[in-house]
Amino acid sequence: MGGSNSVFKEEELQDYEDLTYLTRKEILLAWRRWESLVGSEAKRDKAARFPEAAVQELPELKYNPFKSRITHVFSSRRDARMSFEDFLDLLSVMSSKAPLHLKAHYAFHIFDFNEDRTLDAEDLGEVVDRLTGGEEKLLPEERNKLVDRLLEETDLDGGGISEEEFKHLLTKCPDFIHSFRFCI
C-alpha cells in the first residue's frame, strides 16, 4: 500500500473518510480505480477533471442504461467532466453504507432528465425507454399506458412526482437500498 498511500496526505485521507461512507482502504482502492480509468495524468493533479466517458468505462457503469445521467449528476460542475472527489462521491453514495434517503436523493436526480425537480411523464418515459430498450421493445401505446399508470400510482398531488413522493415510494421498496449500489 505504500505507493498508493503516498499520493495522499494523512489529513486528506482523514477528510475523505469523514466526508464519505468509505473506509481508508476503500478510498485507496478508489484512487487505484480512478488511475486505471483516467490514466497516468491523474498522478499529476488530483483535482484534474476528466471526461465523464472515462468514468462510464467503470465495469459497474459500462452497461448501465443510466450511466450518462449518473455521471452527469455526480459531476460537481455539470460540465461533462469529473474529478477524483466527484468519483469518490459517486462511490460513497453507491456504497452499502450510504443511507436510503441519500440514495433516494441521487436516484431522483438521475431520473429527473429534464431537471425540473419533478418526475413527470417526459422523465418517466425516458426511464421506461432506457429500461426496456426503447421503441423496439414497447409500442408507444404500451409505453404511454405504463407511464400513466406510474404517475397515477405515485403522484399524490397531480403535479408530477416530487422528490419527497419519490423517497416515500422507495421506503416501500426494501430491495432498492441493496440494488442501488456497487462495490469498490
Side-chain angles (χ1 to χ4, degrees):
M1 222 179 354
S4 295
N5 200 11
S6 64
V7 171
F8 298 100
K9 295 177 185 156
E10 180 61 31
E11 313 82 64
E12 286 177 303
L13 277 173
Q14 187 60 55
D15 286 347
Y16 289 146
E17 276 187 289
D18 292 344
L19 296 170
T20 68
Y21 294 97
L22 304 173
T23 65
R24 181 172 299 241
K25 182 179 178 182
E26 289 170 326
I27 293 163
L28 294 172
L29 284 170
W31 176 255
R32 285 201 292 274
R33 289 195 79 184
W34 177 249
E35 284 182 311
S36 73
L37 291 170
V38 302
S40 60
E41 294 176 43
K43 285 185 168 103
R44 290 193 297 259
D45 183 6
K46 287 192 296 278
R49 299 180 64 73
F50 295 91
E52 290 175 349
V55 177
Q56 292 170 7
E57 290 300 311
L58 193 66
E60 294 84 352
L61 290 178
K62 192 170 190 162
Y63 300 106
N64 187 312
F66 299 99
K67 69 183 177 185
S68 62
R69 284 296 301 164
I70 292 168
T71 55
H72 173 76
V73 166
F74 282 93
S75 171
S76 57
R77 295 184 190 165
R78 302 288 198 271
D79 62 354
R81 302 178 75 74
M82 292 184 77
S83 68
F84 176 66
E85 289 185 358
D86 295 336
F87 183 63
L88 269 187
D89 287 343
L90 167 63
L91 295 178
S92 179
V93 170
M94 293 297 181
S95 80
S96 60
K97 293 172 267 180
L100 174 63
H101 71 87
L102 185 64
K103 289 178 177 292
H105 169 80
Y106 280 95
F108 177 85
H109 289 283
I110 289 165
F111 296 152
D112 184 14
F113 286 89
N114 59 20
E115 299 186 355
D116 64 355
R117 299 183 187 261
T118 61
L119 300 183
D120 53 23
E122 180 183 343
D123 297 316
L124 294 177
E126 184 67 30
V127 169
V128 168
D129 287 347
R130 289 184 185 221
L131 289 174
T132 62
E135 293 178 14
E136 308 86 50
K137 305 290 181 186
L138 282 181
L139 296 171
E141 55 272 5
E142 292 172 318
R143 175 190 182 267
N144 294 340
K145 187 176 180 179
L146 180 56
V147 167
D148 290 344
R149 179 91 188 256
L150 286 167
L151 282 170
E152 181 183 305
E153 291 185 13
T154 55
D155 181 10
L156 302 176
D157 61 6
I161 302 166
S162 69
E163 187 170 344
E164 289 309 310
E165 289 170 324
F166 184 74
K167 285 179 180 178
H168 178 73
L169 171 69
L170 292 182
T171 63
K172 298 176 185 213
C173 302
D175 290 339
F176 171 75
I177 197 162
H178 302 294
S179 61
F180 197 76
R181 69 180 177 93
F182 49 76
C183 299
I184 298 176

